[in-house]
Structure formats: structure tokens, C-alpha cells
């Protein structure tokens, strides 16, 4: 609020006043008046005294807060004494008459703000205090006085010095709580215009204490939490050992808290908590604390637990005991030997899940540290398993490998399964193929045994997860030939365990199957006199037999057909019949020239005797059609003309 001291109204000046003009900026031909101010900067509530000095200047009046809108007569005051209560910049306009002409003069004053300086005081170790000011609150003060409150002389400072975060160390005998004052002064310390003052109490800090890790808990295989103790106002950082060197994890907080770290809890991880005073001038580390890693494995009728002994710095001195837990309940008694690394749990039930942890207790200086591993869970096994799987045989049946696994006579539950794996040859990679439930035979219809040898393994799995290692491989016998005279087959055994005691070559014609024993060789040379064209290998081992694929030697003519015959009863060429015939099925039809069927037979031992309905057929030409399916399941059709001669 501006206080004006009004006097009687002055006479008007015979000059037009522009109500929109700022006469401080544009006098519009008005003469220049003149006055002085006793001060140009004041504090709120202070007075300004105006003194006119221009010779010949008459009819003088003033506007204490001129806004530039002409010269409003209602705001004019005759006496120039003004009081300003609100900080800011004000313009004083003088109006008068000089030689009968309007005269004006303007000057500005500043009413100074007295906002207090805002600051914080941080107490550091060693009874040291740092002042941090809010630069936005320093205002327009000419100087600042910082009083530390302990009887030492106040310090006059510039803005730059105050913004540099001044520090002060209190004597040991000084009170533990101090009042710090900052005064902002206009003018000088000796001749101040006015000032503001702000205060803050600060408790002097003692020496920082060593942080203590109270608990390291591996929540799961990827998460670790660390709970620690430290002074209430102490900033702390978490460090982790990486390749033997501690590096910051980037996690920071103030006071006691819990850190959560994403880390591989399946490996030993080591940590430290590093505490600082609030000024960052002193640091102190906690003792190293490392995680524990527990591995549980289920075997029949017991679970085996193993771990790496606790290995943090000073482990021999700090270690107190291990305690194993089972589903979060203590398992057995505590182990006081730090080097202990294994234990067993024999109280298991088939199909029940058990989760184990190991908890180590370390004796710290002021408190204990508890280290807990991540849980390791297994499903209990408790049952009977046979000593070994029985004999296995693979044989070729209808051109597909067929497998038979003979199971043990004892220890086989009703719900057993067999997992069959296959590889393309003995050196191939075995891949699970099928699972047989309660069955011990399998035919691999997905492959052709004539292409190559296929090898199989069988893995027995009983109830409650019990099983046996995969069997030795068994391989189908693959018979091949590189010439018209020789045959070879692979030597991998079709029996497990064991090998073939002997091989034989089976010769197949239309009427008989005969074998030739070839010992343990895997090669056979055909005799030049052999007219058989279908072969396979037979392997034997004890009571077991395994067959290979069939191999068929191709022939240009599987049978020959005569072009004429003489049914005259002389027993020479009296029948029309194909020669060299090796057929499983046979059909022959004789036709007249006009396509009429005169004779038909499916007996490959009987030909046409030249009779039609019991009467001799006429001499001349007839047609035939012969359809044969041989032992290799190949169909052959032969047609042509024949001559009947008498």
C-alpha cells in the first residue's frame, strides 16, 4: 500500500494533456522539471522524501506511483513525502510549470524484498556441518552474514561464497545441537538499509558406524535379498563381487533397508554394503557375506543334498552352524562343521515334492548374519526297480523293423513304460521315437528296412520315476548287393546283449525256402548254378532269430514262352506251357483270332493240350495272355501269338 500526503489542489495548466501518453518516456514538448530523492532504495515501510530544485519551477505536484496514462489530476500530491510497503519498482513523476509551460520529471525507486534465505545444514562425521543454500532465495541482498552459533565471529559472505556450500567444524566442547543463522543485508554490514534472517537447528553427527548385513536370502534361482543395519541418516551403496573385484550395483538408499538383486543364485554370490556420511567424505564397509547354493537330487528311497561350504572372508572365524530345512521345517540337527558339504534324507514318499534349503548362521560383531540358499526341489522316489532289462531283438517283418524287448521276470510293475529311441545307423544320434505303456513289442512302420540299417535303444521306466539306463543298441540287418554274384550286410548286432552266433542265407523260390549256413561272415557269393533270385539273411543267437530285408536279383526273362507246339500224342511238345517259371500266382488264357477264350488255367504245371471242349483244335494261329505274380510280388504280363501244328 502506498501512502500519499495530499495538499490542496493546484491550478490547471493551460496545456492539453494526452491521457494515453507516458510522459516519462515522451514529454511531448513539456519542459524538464527537477527534483532529488533522499534515497533510491528502501525497505518496505520506509519513507522517501522528494526535494524540488529547479529554478523558476512553480505549481509543483507529484504522483508517487506513475503508470504512464497521461497525468491524472486525481493522483497529484503537493508534498513529496511517500511511504511504500510492498516490494517492487515505482516511478515518481513531478509535474510543474516553468515559464508558463508544462514541466515534468521522472525518477524510479526500488522497494527491496526481505524474503529469508532458505538453506539446509548437513551434519557430517567429525562434527563438521555443511550449509547448502537454495540459490533461488538469495534475492538481491548486497551481502550475507553466516553465524555458526557456537560463539565464533559471524562471517560476511558474498553470494558466490554462500553458494559454494561453506563448511564449519565445531569444537569438541561445543553443544551437540547448534543454531545456524543466515542474514541477508541490503547496504553494508556497518550501514545496513534493512535485512532478513533465517535459522536452522542442526544436530552434530558422531562418527559413522560399520554397516552390518543381517540376512542374505536367495529367494529363488534369480533373486537375492540383503537386509542390513546402519545409522538412520547414513547413505549406503550395495557392492557385488564380480571376477574377484567388488563393483557397485548402482543401488543406493539411506538408512536401514533391504536390497533386492537380480543375480544367478545357482552360483555363489558375494556382497558388501558400503556406508557414507551425508557429506560423502567418509566411507566404511560391512564384512563380506556370500550366498549358499544347495543341490538336491532324488534317488530311490532317499534324497541326496550337496552344497559348497560357506566361503566368505573370515569364514573360519565367523561360521557358527548349518541348518537344513525340508519344506521350511528343520531337517535333522544343526551341523557345526563348516566343511560339511553333503547330507541325505531317507524319509521320502513316492510322488511327493520336497523343497530343501540350507541356512548358515554367522557370528558378527554386534549381531548374527543369516544366509539362506534358494530352494532346491525334487519329487520323492520310493519303489522297486529290476536289476536290468531283458534281451532285445530287432528283425525285419514286412519290410519294417520290428522290435521285441524281453522284460525281467521280477520287479516289473503293471504300469511300466518302455521308451524306444532310433538312430540311422549305429553311429547316429538316438532320438526318442515312442513310449510303450505296458507293451514290449513295436514295429517301426515309418521306415523302410530295404533303405538302410536302423538301430534302436530301449529305456525301461517303472513306477515312481524309477528306471534303468538305456539298453545297448540293436540294429536291423540290411542286405545289399553290388553285383549279380555277391551280397553283403552290416555287422551291427540285432541282439542285445550279445552278438549273432551265426548267419545263414535263406534262398527263396516259388516252391521252397532253403538255408545255407555262412558262419559269422557278413558276405555271400552266389553259385553260378543258382537259379534262385530272392535272398535274405537269418541271424541266430541262442533262442533268438533276426531276419534281414529281402534282396531280389532282377532277371531279363523270368520265363520263356514257345512260339508253337504239336499236340499229336508223341509226348514231344504236346503242351503249350511257359518254361523257367517261378511264380506265386499264375493265369493263362488261350484266345481264338476273334478274341474268344478257348482255354484258361491258373495251374502253372498244366499247359494247353490243343483240345477245345474235348475235341482237337484246328491247325493254325491262336493268341495267348499270361499273367504271373512272382515271389518278389512283381506282376508280369506276356501276350503273343502261337502256332498249333499237327
Amino acid at each position: 500500500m502506498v501512502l500519499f500526503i495530499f495538499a490542496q489542489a493546484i491550478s490547471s495548466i493551460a496545456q492539453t494533456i494526452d491521457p494515453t501518453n507516458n510522459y516519462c518516456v515522451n514529454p511531448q514538448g513539456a519542459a524538464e522539471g527537477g527534483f532529488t530523492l533522499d534515497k533510491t532504495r528502501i525497505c518496505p515501510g520506509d519513507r522517501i522524501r522528494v526535494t524540488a530544485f529547479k529554478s523558476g519551477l512553480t505549481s509543483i505536484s507529484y504522483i508517487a506511483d506513475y503508470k504512464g496514462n497521461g497525468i491524472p489530476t486525481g493522483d497529484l500530491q503537493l508534498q513529496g513525502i511517500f511511504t511504500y510497503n510492498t516490494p517492487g519498482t515505482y516511478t515518481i513523476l513531478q509535474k510543474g510549470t516553468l515559464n508558463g509551460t508544462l514541466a515534468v520529471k521522472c525518477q524510479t525507486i526500488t522497494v527491496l524484498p526481505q524474503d529469508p534465505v532458505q538453506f539446509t545444514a548437513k551434519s557430517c562425521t567429525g562434527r563438521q556441518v555443511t550449509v547448502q543454500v537454495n540459490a533461488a532465495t538469495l534475492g538481491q541482498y548486497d551481502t550475507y552474514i553466516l553465524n555458526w552459533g557456537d560463539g565464533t565471529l559471524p562471517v560476511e559472505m558474498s553470494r558466490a561464497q554462500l553458494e559454494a556450500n561453506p563448511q564449519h567444524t565445531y569444537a569438541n566442547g561445543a553443544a551437540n545441537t547448534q543454531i545456524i543463522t543466515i542474514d541477508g543485508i541490503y547496504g553494508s554490514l556497518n550501514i545496513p538499509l534493512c535485512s532478513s534472517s533465517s535459522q536452522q537447528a542442526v544436530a552434530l553427527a558422531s562418527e559413522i558406524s560399520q554397516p552390518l548385513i543381517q540376512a542374505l536370502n536367495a529367494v529363488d534361482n534369480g533373486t537375492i535379498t540383503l537386509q542390513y543395519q546402519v545409522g538412520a541418516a547414513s547413505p549406503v551403496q550395495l557392492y557385488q563381487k564380480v571376477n574377484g573385484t567388488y563393483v557397485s550395483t548402482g543401488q543406493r538408499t539411506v538408512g536401514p533397508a533391504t536390497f533386492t538383486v537380480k543375480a544367478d543364485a545357482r552360483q555363489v554370490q558375494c556382497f558388501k554394503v558400503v556406508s557414507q556420511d551425508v557429506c560423502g567424505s567418509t566411507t566404511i564397509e560391512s564384512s563380506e557375506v556370500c550366498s549358499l547354493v544347495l543341490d538336491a537330487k532324488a534317488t530311490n528311497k532317499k534324497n541326496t543334498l550337496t552344497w559348497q561350504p560357506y566361503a566368505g572372508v573370515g569364514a573360519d572365524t565367523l561360521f557358527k552352524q548349518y541348518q537344513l530345512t525340508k519344506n521350511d521345517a528343520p531337517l535333522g540337527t544343526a551341523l557345526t562343521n563348516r566343511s560339511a558339504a553333503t547330507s541325505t534324507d531317507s524319509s521320502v514318499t513316492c510322488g511327493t515334492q520336497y523343497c530343501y534349503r540350507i541356512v548358515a548362521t554367522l557370528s558378527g560383531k554386534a549381531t548374527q548374519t543369516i544366509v539362506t540358499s534358494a530352494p532346491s526341489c525334487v519329487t520323492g522316489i520310493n519303489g522297486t526297480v529290476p536289476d536290468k532289462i531283458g534281451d532285445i531283438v530287432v528283425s525285419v517283418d514286412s519290410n519294417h523293423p520290428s522290435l521285441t524287448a524281453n522284460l525281467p521276470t521280477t520287479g516289473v510293475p503293471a504300469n511300466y513304460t518302455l521308451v524306444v529311441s532310433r538312430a540311422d545307423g549305429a553311429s547316429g544320434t538316438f532320438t526318442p521315437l515312442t513310449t510303450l505303456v505296458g507293451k514290449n513289442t513295436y514295429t517301426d512302420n515309418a521306415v523302410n528296412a530295404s533303405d538302410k540299417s536302423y538301430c534302436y535303444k530301449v529305456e525301461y521306466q517303472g513306477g515312481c520315476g524309477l528306471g534303468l539306463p538305456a539298453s545297448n543298441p540293436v540294429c536291423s540287418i540290411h542286405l545289399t548287393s553290388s553285383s549279380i554274384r555277391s551280397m553283403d550286410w552290416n555287422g551291427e548286432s540285432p541282439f542285445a546283449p550279445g552278438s549273432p552266433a551265426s548267419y545263414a542265407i535263406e534262398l527263396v523260390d516259388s516252391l521252397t525256402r532253403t538255408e545255407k549256413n555262412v558262419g559269422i561272415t557278413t558276405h555271400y557269393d552266389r553259385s553260378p548254378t543258382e537259379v534262385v533270385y530272392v535272398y535274405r539273411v537269418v541271424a541266430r543267437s541262442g533262442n533268438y532269430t533276426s531276419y534281414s530285408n529281402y534282396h531280389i536279383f532282377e532277371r531279363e526273362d523270368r520265363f520263356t514262352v514257345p512260339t508253337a507246339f504239336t499236340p499229336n500224342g508223341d509226348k514231344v511238345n504236346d503242351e503249350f506251357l511257359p518254361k523257367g517259371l517261378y511264380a506265386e500266382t499264375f493265369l493263362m488264357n488261350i484266345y481264338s483270332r476273334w478274341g474268344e477264350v478257348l482255354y484258361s488255367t491258373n495251374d502253372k504245371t498244366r499247359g494247353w493240350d490243343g483240345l477245345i471242349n474235348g475235341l482237337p483244335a484246328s491247325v493254325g494261329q491262336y493268341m495267348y495272355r499270361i499273367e504271373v505274380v512272382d515271389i518278389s510280388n512283381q506282376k508280369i504280363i506276356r501276350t503273343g501269338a502261337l502256332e498249333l501244328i499237327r
Side-chain angles (χ1 to χ4, degrees):
M1 183 180 68
V2 180
L3 300 178
F4 299 95
I5 302 174
F6 291 95
Q8 64 182 3
I10 61 172
S11 61
S12 61
I13 299 175
Q15 183 171 339
T16 302
I17 302 298
D18 183 353
T20 63
N21 181 53
N22 186 330
Y23 280 85
C24 291
V25 177
N26 180 13
Q28 288 191 349
E32 182 180 10
F35 66 93
T36 60
L37 301 173
D38 62 344
K39 55 187 85 168
T40 58
R41 294 197 309 161
I42 62 173
C43 296
D46 288 352
R47 294 193 307 173
I48 290 287
R49 182 179 294 276
V50 179
T51 303
F53 69 87
K54 189 79 170 185
S55 176
L57 185 65
T58 61
S59 302
I60 301 172
S61 60
Y62 300 93
I63 297 176
D65 186 14
Y66 180 61
K67 301 298 186 183
N69 297 320
I71 304 177
T73 57
D75 293 338
L76 293 173
Q77 304 178 78
L78 297 179
Q79 189 174 1
I81 299 176
F82 312 114
T83 300
Y84 299 87
N85 294 317
T86 304
T89 299
Y90 299 86
T91 299
I92 299 176
L93 179 135
Q94 181 193 59
K95 177 192 174 194
T97 302
L98 186 62
N99 298 325
T101 303
L102 174 66
V104 296
K105 177 69 175 180
C106 298
Q107 289 195 56
T108 60
I109 66 164
T110 300
V111 181
L112 301 167
Q114 289 182 285
D115 298 323
V117 175
Q118 297 178 12
F119 69 95
T120 57
K122 294 198 306 181
S123 180
C124 310
T125 57
R127 301 174 69 81
Q128 184 184 78
V129 173
T130 299
V131 166
Q132 293 180 327
V133 298
N134 182 348
T137 67
L138 289 176
Q140 306 174 37
Y141 296 109
D142 297 309
T143 190
Y144 304 88
I145 305 299
L146 175 57
N147 189 335
W148 295 103
D150 60 349
T152 58
L153 291 177
V155 182
E156 183 175 6
M157 291 187 170
S158 66
R159 174 187 290 266
Q161 289 174 320
L162 202 57
E163 289 180 340
N165 301 333
Q167 293 181 337
H168 181 68
T169 301
Y170 290 86
N172 289 331
N176 290 331
T177 300
Q178 298 290 335
I179 304 297
I180 299 174
T181 304
I182 296 180
D183 295 328
I185 297 177
Y186 294 110
S188 66
L189 181 61
N190 296 325
I191 310 176
L193 293 177
C194 56
S195 64
S196 69
S197 183
S198 57
Q199 292 182 335
Q200 184 175 321
V202 60
L204 302 184
S206 59
E207 296 295 329
I208 62 173
S209 59
Q210 183 182 29
L212 300 171
I213 298 177
Q214 296 174 291
L216 186 156
N217 181 30
V219 179
D220 51 42
N221 286 335
T223 307
I224 294 175
T225 62
L226 295 105
Q227 181 183 349
Y228 63 90
Q229 284 184 343
V230 75
S234 297
V236 293
Q237 293 187 60
L238 179 64
Y239 282 74
Q240 182 177 1
K241 184 181 284 187
V242 179
N243 297 326
T245 302
Y246 273 96
V247 297
S248 174
T249 63
Q251 295 197 55
R252 294 175 169 84
T253 188
V254 175
T258 299
F259 285 118
T260 299
V261 185
K262 293 299 181 183
D264 183 4
R266 294 167 297 184
Q267 304 292 328
V268 174
Q269 306 289 348
C270 297
F271 300 89
K272 287 183 180 179
V273 172
V274 178
S275 175
Q276 293 180 304
D277 65 7
V278 295
C279 301
S281 57
T282 304
T283 61
I284 185 169
E285 299 178 349
S286 72
S287 298
E288 176 183 76
V289 176
C290 299
S291 64
L292 286 169
V293 180
L294 177 69
D295 181 45
K297 292 189 180 302
T299 57
N300 192 23
K301 300 183 180 180
K302 68 178 181 180
N303 294 332
T304 301
L305 313 176
T306 57
W307 64 92
Q308 180 177 327
Y310 182 77
V313 172
D316 289 330
T317 302
L318 299 176
F319 176 80
K320 184 177 180 181
Q321 67 177 32
Y322 297 122
Q323 178 64 62
L324 289 162
T325 67
K326 173 182 178 180
N327 294 342
D328 296 325
L331 175 65
T333 59
L335 306 175
T336 57
N337 180 5
R338 186 186 69 84
S339 299
T342 185
S343 182
T344 58
D345 177 19
S346 299
S347 179
V348 296
T349 301
C350 174
T352 300
Q353 186 182 63
Y354 300 99
C355 291
Y356 298 91
R357 292 179 185 262
I358 185 168
V359 181
T361 301
L362 310 178
S363 298
K365 293 181 179 179
T367 185
Q368 291 182 335
T369 298
I370 305 300
V371 178
T372 305
S373 73
S376 182
C377 301
V378 294
T379 300
I381 302 172
N382 195 331
T384 303
V385 65
D387 293 337
K388 62 180 180 178
I389 197 167
D391 297 329
I392 301 171
V393 179
V394 64
S395 183
V396 176
D397 182 13
S398 299
N399 221 27
H400 299 293
S402 183
L403 195 73
T404 299
N406 295 282
L407 298 178
T409 57
T410 60
V412 179
N415 61 340
Y416 76 90
T417 60
L418 296 179
V419 178
V420 180
S421 300
R422 181 182 69 201
D424 294 343
S427 61
T429 301
F430 283 87
T431 303
L433 185 63
T434 188
T435 298
L436 307 177
V437 180
K439 293 174 56 179
N440 68 329
T441 60
Y442 174 70
T443 298
D444 191 356
N445 292 312
V447 298
N448 188 335
S450 295
D451 294 338
K452 64 178 72 173
S453 172
Y454 292 95
C455 297
Y456 300 85
K457 287 184 178 181
V458 176
E459 182 178 353
Y460 168 85
Q461 294 180 351
C464 197
L466 295 174
L468 293 173
S471 68
N472 292 333
V474 291
C475 301
S476 62
I477 303 172
H478 182 225
L479 177 61
T480 61
S481 175
S482 59
S483 70
I484 194 65
R485 291 300 178 194
S486 64
M487 289 174 283
D488 297 278
W489 56 95
N490 57 301
E492 290 81 16
S493 177
F495 310 113
S499 300
S502 64
Y503 292 105
I505 292 293
E506 185 181 66
L507 297 80
V508 184
D509 63 19
S510 60
L511 298 177
T512 61
R513 295 173 182 263
T514 58
E515 289 186 10
K516 287 187 176 181
N517 197 316
V518 295
I520 58 171
T521 183
T522 56
H523 177 83
Y524 177 71
D525 289 320
R526 296 174 66 208
S527 169
T529 62
E530 286 180 14
V531 294
V532 176
Y533 285 84
V534 180
Y535 297 83
R536 67 175 175 177
V537 176
V538 182
R540 290 186 172 87
S541 177
N543 295 325
Y544 301 117
T545 302
S546 175
Y547 295 95
S548 75
N549 58 299
Y550 284 104
H551 182 75
I552 302 167
F553 288 93
E554 297 293 338
R555 292 170 287 187
E556 291 299 324
D557 290 313
R558 296 184 180 274
F559 57 89
T560 60
V561 181
T563 58
F565 77 115
T566 57
N568 53 14
D570 63 358
K571 298 183 180 181
V572 177
N573 199 21
D574 282 341
E575 280 188 327
F576 176 78
L577 184 65
K579 308 296 183 183
L581 185 63
Y582 297 92
E584 290 290 303
T585 64
F586 171 79
L587 177 63
M588 181 175 72
N589 291 325
I590 305 298
Y591 302 90
S592 68
R593 292 183 180 182
W594 298 274
E596 179 185 5
V597 177
L598 304 178
Y599 177 78
S600 179
T601 183
N602 56 12
D603 186 348
K604 59 186 176 183
T605 64
R606 294 183 59 187
W608 183 37
D609 58 5
L611 299 177
I612 300 175
N613 295 325
L615 299 175
S618 301
V619 173
Q621 191 178 63
Y622 295 86
M623 307 301 294
Y624 67 86
R625 184 182 188 275
I626 301 172
E627 181 178 312
V628 171
V629 176
D630 68 8
I631 190 66
S632 62
N633 204 35
Q634 296 189 40
K635 180 184 287 188
I636 303 171
I637 297 176
R638 195 74 64 83
T639 61
L642 66 96
E643 194 74 25
L644 190 154
I645 304 171
R646 292 194 185 274

